[in-house]
Amino acid sequence: PEPAAAIAAALQARDPARALDLFAGYRGPNGAIPPRSLFAIAKSASDQGRHALAARALHAAGTGDDDAVAPNALLVLARVYERRLGRAAEARQVLDYLLARWPDSEAAGHARASVAPPEG
């Protein structure tokens, strides 16, 4: 089957490890994989310590148009960049993008809190 469909089938069969392996080799358009599926793949990758692959899936989910998934994917992506990959500058860029694209989302509220200077 077509790669994006195979990924979806693996997730539907509750085989996130298979979906993750398929996604690792996937080079098709990100829009072919639903954002919720990308989020599930990112969780599986993170659970396995494959943080760069998790970041790739979160980036794809976060740059889509799904208002229910994208802001949260970006927030988690920023955390992965900063806490797991040691890429603080990229984490900040992701948060800035989140704040510009979805300023009224709940995720943006968390982003604002994380980029605000500490009071004191």
Side-chain angles (χ1 to χ4, degrees):
E2 186 255 318
I7 291 168
L11 288 170
Q12 183 111 21
R14 299 190 192 286
D15 188 353
R18 173 88 175 121
L20 180 59
D21 288 341
L22 291 168
F23 181 73
Y26 180 73
R27 298 294 174 254
N30 289 333
I33 302 172
R36 290 179 196 278
S37 296
L38 290 163
F39 210 91
I41 289 166
K43 182 181 180 334
S44 181
S46 184
D47 289 348
Q48 292 184 18
R50 297 171 73 181
H51 302 296
L53 191 56
R56 186 176 139 218
L58 289 165
H59 181 270
T63 55
D65 290 329
D66 188 326
D67 293 343
V69 175
N72 294 320
L74 291 170
L75 185 62
V76 175
L77 174 60
R79 290 177 180 160
V80 168
Y81 274 154
E82 185 167 8
R83 297 176 186 170
R84 301 293 181 198
L85 299 175
R87 294 160 55 181
E90 286 169 280
R92 179 59 191 249
Q93 288 176 337
V94 169
L95 293 175
D96 289 344
Y97 176 75
L98 165 59
L99 292 168
R101 179 85 192 264
W102 288 281
D104 298 325
S105 68
E106 186 176 330
H110 291 289
R112 270 188 217 80
S114 70
V115 298
E119 293 183 29

